[in-house]
Amino acid sequence: MSKVLVTGGTGYIGSHTVVELINEGFEVVIVDNLSNSSVDVLDGIEKITGVRPAFENIDCIEYVSMDRMFSKHENIDAIIHFAASKAVGESVEKPLLYYRNNLGSLINILQLMPIHKVKNFVFSSSCTVYGQPDVLPVTEDAPIKPAMSPYGNTKQIGEEIIRDTIYAAPSLYTSIILRYFNPIGAHPSAEIGELPNGVPNNLLPFVTQTAIGLRKQLQVFGDDYDTPDGSCIRDYIHVVDLAKAHVVAVKRMLSGEAASNVETFNLGTGRGLSVLEILNTFEKVNDIKVPYKIVGRREGDIEKVWADPAYANDVLGWKATESVEETLRSAWAWEKNLAGKRN
Ligand code: NAD
Ligand code: WQD
Protein backbone atom coordinates (compact mmCIF):
# COMPACT_ATOMS: atom_id res chain seq x y z
CA MET A 1 0.00 0.00 0.00
CA SER A 2 1.52 3.37 -0.97
CA LYS A 3 1.87 5.87 1.87
CA VAL A 4 1.11 9.59 1.49
CA LEU A 5 2.04 12.32 3.97
CA VAL A 6 -0.63 15.04 3.99
CA THR A 7 0.42 18.22 5.76
CA GLY A 8 -2.57 20.37 6.72
CA GLY A 9 -4.62 17.20 6.48
CA THR A 10 -7.26 18.19 9.04
CA GLY A 11 -7.90 21.41 7.09
CA TYR A 12 -10.67 22.04 4.60
CA ILE A 13 -9.10 20.76 1.37
CA GLY A 14 -6.68 18.43 3.16
CA SER A 15 -9.41 16.50 4.96
CA HIS A 16 -11.38 15.97 1.75
CA THR A 17 -8.18 14.82 0.02
CA VAL A 18 -7.41 12.37 2.85
CA VAL A 19 -10.86 10.82 2.33
CA GLU A 20 -10.26 10.37 -1.39
CA LEU A 21 -6.76 8.95 -0.80
CA ILE A 22 -8.11 6.39 1.66
CA ASN A 23 -10.94 5.54 -0.73
CA GLU A 24 -8.27 4.82 -3.35
CA GLY A 25 -6.38 2.47 -1.01
CA PHE A 26 -3.57 4.77 0.11
CA GLU A 27 -2.19 4.77 3.65
CA VAL A 28 -2.25 8.35 4.97
CA VAL A 29 -0.23 10.15 7.61
CA ILE A 30 -1.52 13.60 8.59
CA VAL A 31 0.69 16.32 10.01
CA ASP A 32 -1.23 19.33 11.27
CA ASN A 33 -0.65 21.84 14.10
CA LEU A 34 -4.41 22.48 14.40
CA SER A 35 -3.81 26.23 13.99
CA ASN A 36 -6.85 26.42 11.71
CA SER A 37 -8.65 23.11 12.18
CA SER A 38 -9.85 20.71 14.84
CA VAL A 39 -8.68 17.20 15.71
CA ASP A 40 -12.39 16.24 15.56
CA VAL A 41 -12.01 16.26 11.77
CA LEU A 42 -10.37 12.83 12.21
CA ASP A 43 -13.73 11.54 13.49
CA GLY A 44 -15.40 12.76 10.31
CA ILE A 45 -12.76 11.11 8.13
CA GLU A 46 -13.16 7.86 10.07
CA LYS A 47 -16.97 8.00 9.80
CA ILE A 48 -16.74 8.38 6.03
CA THR A 49 -13.96 5.90 5.29
CA GLY A 50 -13.90 3.54 8.28
CA VAL A 51 -10.20 4.39 8.61
CA ARG A 52 -8.61 6.73 11.16
CA PRO A 53 -5.39 7.98 9.57
CA ALA A 54 -2.19 8.38 11.59
CA PHE A 55 -2.08 11.92 12.97
CA GLU A 56 0.90 13.94 14.17
CA ASN A 57 0.20 17.28 15.88
CA ILE A 58 3.36 18.95 14.60
CA ASP A 59 4.18 22.45 13.34
CA CYS A 60 5.85 22.09 9.94
CA ILE A 61 8.13 25.02 10.72
CA GLU A 62 9.73 22.94 13.50
CA TYR A 63 12.58 21.27 11.57
CA VAL A 64 13.63 18.82 14.32
CA SER A 65 10.04 17.70 14.95
CA MET A 66 9.50 17.17 11.25
CA ASP A 67 12.80 15.24 10.97
CA ARG A 68 11.67 12.95 13.78
CA MET A 69 8.26 12.53 12.12
CA PHE A 70 9.91 11.39 8.88
CA SER A 71 12.06 8.90 10.86
CA LYS A 72 8.96 7.56 12.60
CA HIS A 73 6.86 7.23 9.43
CA GLU A 74 9.27 5.53 7.04
CA ASN A 75 8.75 4.78 3.36
CA ILE A 76 6.56 7.76 2.54
CA ASP A 77 5.87 7.57 -1.21
CA ALA A 78 4.54 11.11 -1.72
CA ILE A 79 3.79 14.31 0.13
CA ILE A 80 0.84 16.64 -0.41
CA HIS A 81 1.68 19.94 1.24
CA PHE A 82 -1.48 21.85 2.22
CA ALA A 83 -0.17 23.30 5.49
CA ALA A 84 -0.15 27.09 5.27
CA SER A 85 -1.87 30.19 6.57
CA LYS A 86 -4.35 31.41 3.95
CA ALA A 87 -6.25 34.49 5.12
CA VAL A 88 -5.45 37.24 2.63
CA GLY A 89 -6.44 40.12 4.92
CA GLU A 90 -4.49 38.73 7.89
CA SER A 91 -1.43 38.36 5.68
CA VAL A 92 -1.49 42.11 5.02
CA GLU A 93 -1.53 42.81 8.78
CA LYS A 94 0.99 40.09 9.70
CA PRO A 95 3.27 39.53 6.69
CA LEU A 96 6.16 38.00 8.66
CA LEU A 97 3.85 35.36 10.17
CA TYR A 98 2.85 34.37 6.64
CA TYR A 99 6.38 34.35 5.21
CA ARG A 100 7.68 32.36 8.17
CA ASN A 101 4.83 29.88 8.24
CA ASN A 102 4.21 29.30 4.56
CA LEU A 103 7.79 29.46 3.32
CA GLY A 104 9.47 28.03 6.45
CA SER A 105 7.22 24.97 6.28
CA LEU A 106 7.89 24.47 2.60
CA ILE A 107 11.67 24.82 2.96
CA ASN A 108 11.77 22.35 5.85
CA ILE A 109 9.93 19.72 3.84
CA LEU A 110 12.04 20.20 0.72
CA GLN A 111 15.20 19.92 2.83
CA LEU A 112 14.02 16.79 4.63
CA MET A 113 12.75 14.95 1.56
CA PRO A 114 16.10 13.76 0.15
CA ILE A 115 17.37 12.97 3.65
CA HIS A 116 14.45 10.60 4.12
CA LYS A 117 14.42 9.43 0.49
CA VAL A 118 11.04 10.94 -0.32
CA LYS A 119 10.86 12.10 -3.92
CA ASN A 120 7.28 13.02 -4.84
CA PHE A 121 5.76 16.35 -3.83
CA VAL A 122 2.43 18.05 -4.52
CA PHE A 123 2.19 21.75 -3.71
CA SER A 124 -0.99 23.72 -2.95
CA SER A 125 -0.86 26.84 -5.03
CA SER A 126 -3.56 29.27 -6.04
CA CYS A 127 -4.99 31.10 -9.02
CA THR A 128 -4.11 34.17 -7.00
CA VAL A 129 -0.67 33.98 -8.65
CA TYR A 130 -2.29 35.24 -11.87
CA GLY A 131 -3.75 38.39 -10.33
CA GLN A 132 -6.21 39.85 -12.84
CA PRO A 133 -5.36 37.87 -15.99
CA ASP A 134 -5.14 39.81 -19.26
CA VAL A 135 -6.77 36.92 -21.12
CA LEU A 136 -9.65 34.72 -19.90
CA PRO A 137 -10.03 31.84 -19.39
CA VAL A 138 -6.59 31.69 -17.81
CA THR A 139 -4.07 29.02 -18.80
CA GLU A 140 -0.98 27.80 -16.93
CA ASP A 141 1.34 29.86 -19.14
CA ALA A 142 -0.41 33.13 -18.30
CA PRO A 143 1.98 35.69 -16.84
CA ILE A 144 2.42 35.71 -13.08
CA LYS A 145 1.36 39.18 -11.88
CA PRO A 146 2.76 41.05 -8.84
CA ALA A 147 1.07 39.55 -5.79
CA MET A 148 -1.84 41.49 -4.30
CA SER A 149 -1.02 40.30 -0.77
CA PRO A 150 1.78 38.71 1.25
CA TYR A 151 -0.32 35.52 1.21
CA GLY A 152 -0.43 35.50 -2.58
CA ASN A 153 3.29 36.28 -2.59
CA THR A 154 4.01 33.20 -0.46
CA LYS A 155 2.41 31.10 -3.20
CA GLN A 156 4.43 32.77 -5.94
CA ILE A 157 7.68 32.50 -3.97
CA GLY A 158 6.79 28.96 -2.95
CA GLU A 159 6.51 27.94 -6.60
CA GLU A 160 9.88 29.57 -7.33
CA ILE A 161 11.51 27.80 -4.36
CA ILE A 162 10.26 24.48 -5.70
CA ARG A 163 11.49 25.15 -9.23
CA ASP A 164 14.92 26.37 -8.06
CA THR A 165 15.35 23.43 -5.65
CA ILE A 166 14.48 20.90 -8.33
CA TYR A 167 16.65 22.63 -10.93
CA ALA A 168 19.60 22.23 -8.52
CA ALA A 169 18.87 18.56 -7.84
CA PRO A 170 16.58 17.12 -10.52
CA SER A 171 17.26 13.53 -9.56
CA LEU A 172 15.97 14.07 -6.03
CA TYR A 173 12.49 15.44 -6.66
CA THR A 174 9.37 15.20 -8.79
CA SER A 175 6.77 17.87 -8.11
CA ILE A 176 3.29 18.77 -9.27
CA ILE A 177 2.08 22.28 -8.53
CA LEU A 178 -1.71 22.60 -8.37
CA ARG A 179 -3.23 26.07 -8.73
CA TYR A 180 -6.68 25.98 -7.14
CA PHE A 181 -9.42 28.37 -8.13
CA ASN A 182 -12.26 28.82 -5.62
CA PRO A 183 -13.00 25.61 -3.72
CA ILE A 184 -16.46 25.48 -2.13
CA GLY A 185 -18.91 22.90 -0.85
CA ALA A 186 -18.43 19.88 1.38
CA HIS A 187 -18.33 16.10 1.33
CA PRO A 188 -21.79 14.68 0.45
CA SER A 189 -21.89 12.94 3.84
CA ALA A 190 -21.81 16.38 5.51
CA GLU A 191 -19.33 14.84 7.98
CA ILE A 192 -16.51 17.17 6.89
CA GLY A 193 -16.49 20.63 5.34
CA GLU A 194 -15.11 24.13 5.66
CA LEU A 195 -14.56 25.24 9.29
CA PRO A 196 -13.67 28.92 9.10
CA ASN A 197 -12.27 30.44 12.28
CA GLY A 198 -14.19 33.55 13.32
CA VAL A 199 -15.89 35.74 10.72
CA PRO A 200 -15.50 34.07 7.32
CA ASN A 201 -13.53 35.95 4.67
CA ASN A 202 -14.72 33.70 1.86
CA LEU A 203 -18.07 34.01 0.12
CA LEU A 204 -19.61 30.58 0.63
CA PRO A 205 -19.18 30.18 4.38
CA PHE A 206 -20.54 33.70 4.80
CA VAL A 207 -23.57 32.79 2.66
CA THR A 208 -24.29 29.60 4.59
CA GLN A 209 -23.75 31.26 7.98
CA THR A 210 -26.14 34.04 6.97
CA ALA A 211 -28.68 31.49 5.75
CA ILE A 212 -28.51 29.60 9.06
CA GLY A 213 -28.87 32.85 11.04
CA LEU A 214 -25.34 33.13 12.42
CA ARG A 215 -24.78 36.33 10.38
CA LYS A 216 -27.36 39.07 9.93
CA GLN A 217 -26.72 39.93 6.32
CA LEU A 218 -24.35 39.10 3.50
CA GLN A 219 -22.44 42.04 2.09
CA VAL A 220 -21.92 41.79 -1.65
CA PHE A 221 -18.69 43.63 -2.33
CA GLY A 222 -19.58 45.71 -5.36
CA ASP A 223 -21.92 45.47 -8.32
CA ASP A 224 -20.17 48.03 -10.50
CA TYR A 225 -17.63 45.73 -12.11
CA ASP A 226 -17.41 45.16 -15.85
CA THR A 227 -19.39 41.91 -15.65
CA PRO A 228 -22.93 41.03 -16.81
CA ASP A 229 -24.53 41.68 -13.41
CA GLY A 230 -21.78 43.94 -12.05
CA SER A 231 -20.54 41.50 -9.39
CA CYS A 232 -17.17 39.73 -9.49
CA ILE A 233 -16.75 36.46 -11.34
CA ARG A 234 -14.86 33.43 -10.03
CA ASP A 235 -14.38 29.73 -10.90
CA TYR A 236 -16.07 27.89 -8.05
CA ILE A 237 -15.03 24.22 -7.84
CA HIS A 238 -16.46 21.48 -5.60
CA VAL A 239 -13.87 20.64 -2.94
CA VAL A 240 -14.35 16.90 -3.65
CA ASP A 241 -13.49 17.45 -7.32
CA LEU A 242 -10.41 19.31 -6.12
CA ALA A 243 -9.51 16.52 -3.70
CA LYS A 244 -9.75 13.89 -6.44
CA ALA A 245 -7.26 15.85 -8.54
CA HIS A 246 -4.66 15.33 -5.79
CA VAL A 247 -5.10 11.55 -5.95
CA VAL A 248 -4.62 11.71 -9.72
CA ALA A 249 -1.48 13.82 -9.24
CA VAL A 250 0.00 11.38 -6.70
CA LYS A 251 -0.74 8.41 -8.96
CA ARG A 252 0.86 10.26 -11.89
CA MET A 253 4.09 10.70 -9.96
CA LEU A 254 4.12 7.18 -8.52
CA SER A 255 3.60 5.67 -11.95
CA GLY A 256 6.48 7.69 -13.39
CA GLU A 257 4.16 9.33 -15.92
CA ALA A 258 5.13 12.85 -14.90
CA ALA A 259 6.53 14.45 -18.05
CA SER A 260 9.07 16.57 -16.17
CA ASN A 261 10.34 17.22 -12.68
CA VAL A 262 7.89 20.07 -12.17
CA GLU A 263 4.43 20.17 -13.71
CA THR A 264 1.83 22.88 -13.05
CA PHE A 265 -1.94 22.53 -13.47
CA ASN A 266 -4.94 24.83 -13.08
CA LEU A 267 -7.66 23.13 -11.07
CA GLY A 268 -10.90 24.84 -12.02
CA THR A 269 -14.16 24.05 -13.76
CA GLY A 270 -13.69 26.47 -16.65
CA ARG A 271 -17.03 28.04 -15.58
CA GLY A 272 -17.09 31.62 -14.37
CA LEU A 273 -19.95 32.54 -12.03
CA SER A 274 -20.70 35.90 -10.42
CA VAL A 275 -21.32 36.52 -6.74
CA LEU A 276 -24.99 37.24 -7.46
CA GLU A 277 -25.31 34.11 -9.59
CA ILE A 278 -23.89 32.03 -6.74
CA LEU A 279 -26.24 33.71 -4.28
CA ASN A 280 -29.32 33.24 -6.47
CA THR A 281 -28.44 29.62 -7.24
CA PHE A 282 -27.84 28.91 -3.55
CA GLU A 283 -31.26 30.32 -2.64
CA LYS A 284 -32.97 28.40 -5.43
CA VAL A 285 -31.46 24.94 -4.88
CA ASN A 286 -31.83 25.17 -1.10
CA ASP A 287 -35.16 26.97 -1.12
CA ILE A 288 -33.97 29.60 1.32
CA LYS A 289 -33.60 33.39 1.25
CA VAL A 290 -30.29 34.97 2.16
CA PRO A 291 -30.52 38.61 3.29
CA TYR A 292 -27.89 40.66 1.49
CA LYS A 293 -26.84 44.18 0.72
CA ILE A 294 -24.72 45.55 -2.09
CA VAL A 295 -21.85 47.53 -0.57
CA GLY A 296 -18.60 49.01 -1.89
CA ARG A 297 -15.84 46.99 -3.49
CA ARG A 298 -13.45 45.01 -1.24
CA GLU A 299 -9.85 46.19 -1.54
CA GLY A 300 -7.66 43.75 -3.44
CA ASP A 301 -10.50 41.97 -5.19
CA ILE A 302 -9.89 41.17 -8.82
CA GLU A 303 -12.80 41.60 -11.22
CA LYS A 304 -13.00 38.26 -12.96
CA VAL A 305 -11.04 35.05 -13.23
CA TRP A 306 -11.85 31.55 -14.36
CA ALA A 307 -9.69 28.66 -15.47
CA ASP A 308 -8.97 27.07 -18.78
CA PRO A 309 -8.78 23.51 -17.36
CA ALA A 310 -7.88 21.88 -20.68
CA TYR A 311 -4.30 21.08 -19.65
CA ALA A 312 -5.41 19.34 -16.44
CA ASN A 313 -8.21 17.60 -18.34
CA ASP A 314 -5.97 16.34 -21.13
CA VAL A 315 -2.59 15.77 -19.47
CA LEU A 316 -3.46 15.12 -15.84
CA GLY A 317 -6.53 13.18 -16.91
CA TRP A 318 -8.76 14.94 -14.39
CA LYS A 319 -11.96 16.97 -14.84
CA ALA A 320 -14.29 18.68 -12.39
CA THR A 321 -17.66 16.95 -12.64
CA GLU A 322 -19.88 18.32 -9.86
CA SER A 323 -22.56 20.82 -10.84
CA VAL A 324 -22.68 24.18 -9.08
CA GLU A 325 -26.16 23.23 -7.84
CA GLU A 326 -24.88 20.06 -6.15
CA THR A 327 -21.91 21.96 -4.77
CA LEU A 328 -24.16 24.60 -3.19
CA ARG A 329 -26.48 21.93 -1.81
CA SER A 330 -23.49 20.25 -0.14
CA ALA A 331 -22.38 23.56 1.40
CA TRP A 332 -25.82 24.07 2.93
CA ALA A 333 -26.07 20.47 4.21
CA TRP A 334 -22.71 20.92 5.95
CA GLU A 335 -23.78 24.21 7.59
CA LYS A 336 -26.96 22.58 8.86
CA ASN A 337 -24.94 19.66 10.23
CA LEU A 338 -22.62 22.12 11.99
CA ALA A 339 -25.65 23.87 13.52
CA GLY A 340 -26.87 20.51 14.79
CA LYS A 341 -23.50 19.90 16.45
CA ARG A 342 -23.56 23.38 18.07
CA ASN A 343 -27.02 22.88 19.59
P1 NAD B 1 -7.13 25.32 5.94
O1 NAD B 1 -6.69 26.44 6.79
O2 NAD B 1 -8.48 24.74 6.13
O3 NAD B 1 -6.09 24.12 6.02
C1 NAD B 1 -4.73 24.36 6.25
C2 NAD B 1 -4.32 23.42 7.37
O4 NAD B 1 -2.94 23.56 7.61
C3 NAD B 1 -5.05 23.72 8.69
O5 NAD B 1 -5.56 22.52 9.21
C4 NAD B 1 -3.95 24.28 9.60
O6 NAD B 1 -4.15 23.92 10.95
C5 NAD B 1 -2.71 23.62 9.01
N1 NAD B 1 -1.46 24.37 9.19
C6 NAD B 1 -1.23 25.68 8.91
N2 NAD B 1 0.06 25.97 9.19
C7 NAD B 1 0.64 24.81 9.64
C8 NAD B 1 1.93 24.46 10.08
N3 NAD B 1 2.91 25.37 10.15
N4 NAD B 1 2.16 23.19 10.46
C9 NAD B 1 1.18 22.26 10.43
N5 NAD B 1 -0.08 22.53 10.02
C10 NAD B 1 -0.32 23.80 9.63
O7 NAD B 1 -6.95 25.82 4.43
P2 NAD B 1 -7.44 25.13 3.08
O8 NAD B 1 -8.51 26.00 2.52
O9 NAD B 1 -7.66 23.69 3.27
O10 NAD B 1 -6.13 25.35 2.17
C11 NAD B 1 -5.18 24.33 2.06
C12 NAD B 1 -4.09 24.83 1.14
O11 NAD B 1 -4.66 25.22 -0.10
C13 NAD B 1 -3.35 26.06 1.67
O12 NAD B 1 -1.99 25.96 1.31
C14 NAD B 1 -4.00 27.21 0.91
O13 NAD B 1 -3.11 28.30 0.75
C15 NAD B 1 -4.28 26.55 -0.41
N6 NAD B 1 -5.38 27.18 -1.16
C16 NAD B 1 -6.60 27.31 -0.58
C17 NAD B 1 -7.64 27.93 -1.31
C18 NAD B 1 -9.00 28.13 -0.70
O14 NAD B 1 -9.79 28.93 -1.22
N7 NAD B 1 -9.35 27.44 0.37
C19 NAD B 1 -7.42 28.38 -2.61
C20 NAD B 1 -6.15 28.20 -3.15
C21 NAD B 1 -5.14 27.60 -2.42
C1 WQD C 1 -15.15 35.50 -3.81
C2 WQD C 1 -16.02 36.65 -4.31
C3 WQD C 1 -15.68 38.74 -3.18
C4 WQD C 1 -17.19 37.49 0.70
C5 WQD C 1 -9.71 34.17 -1.90
C6 WQD C 1 -8.22 34.32 -1.89
C7 WQD C 1 -7.59 33.25 -2.74
C8 WQD C 1 -8.08 31.88 -2.30
C9 WQD C 1 -9.57 31.82 -2.35
C10 WQD C 1 -6.49 30.98 -0.78
C11 WQD C 1 -15.25 37.96 -4.40
C12 WQD C 1 -17.08 38.21 -2.95
C13 WQD C 1 -16.80 37.48 -0.62
C14 WQD C 1 -18.30 38.28 1.11
C15 WQD C 1 -18.56 39.00 -1.16
N1 WQD C 1 -7.65 31.57 -0.99
N2 WQD C 1 -17.49 38.23 -1.53
N3 WQD C 1 -18.95 39.01 0.15
O1 WQD C 1 -11.32 36.56 -2.97
O2 WQD C 1 -11.77 35.00 -4.94
O3 WQD C 1 -10.14 34.34 -3.22
O4 WQD C 1 -10.07 32.86 -1.49
O5 WQD C 1 -5.68 30.65 -1.57
O6 WQD C 1 -6.19 33.35 -2.62
O7 WQD C 1 -7.90 35.57 -2.47
O8 WQD C 1 -12.56 34.37 -2.67
O9 WQD C 1 -14.57 33.79 -1.39
O10 WQD C 1 -13.13 35.73 -0.57
O11 WQD C 1 -14.51 35.99 -2.63
O12 WQD C 1 -19.16 39.69 -2.01
O13 WQD C 1 -18.69 38.33 2.30
O14 WQD C 1 -17.08 36.88 -3.38
O15 WQD C 1 -15.71 40.13 -3.41
O16 WQD C 1 -15.70 38.65 -5.55
P1 WQD C 1 -11.47 35.19 -3.51
P2 WQD C 1 -13.70 34.94 -1.71
Side-chain angles (χ1 to χ4, degrees), residues 119 162 166-167 169-176 258-263:
K119 189 175 164 65
I162 293 164
I166 293 180
Y167 181 80
S171 64
L172 299 180
Y173 302 89
T174 299
S175 178
I176 291 182
S260 67
N261 288 95
V262 186
E263 293 181 303

Side-chain angles (χ1 to χ4, degrees), residues 178-195:
L178 300 175
R179 291 173 179 163
Y180 314 154
F181 283 67
N182 288 59
I184 60 170
H187 191 269
S189 67
E191 291 297 339
I192 55 175
E194 194 166 4
L195 269 172

Side-chain angles (χ1 to χ4, degrees), residues 10 57 96 114 116 124 175 187 192 247 271-272 282 294 313 335:
T10 49
N57 182 347
L96 291 179
H116 293 276
S124 288
S175 178
H187 191 269
I192 55 175
V247 179
R271 176 188 59 208
F282 179 86
I294 307 283
N313 300 162
E335 188 66 58

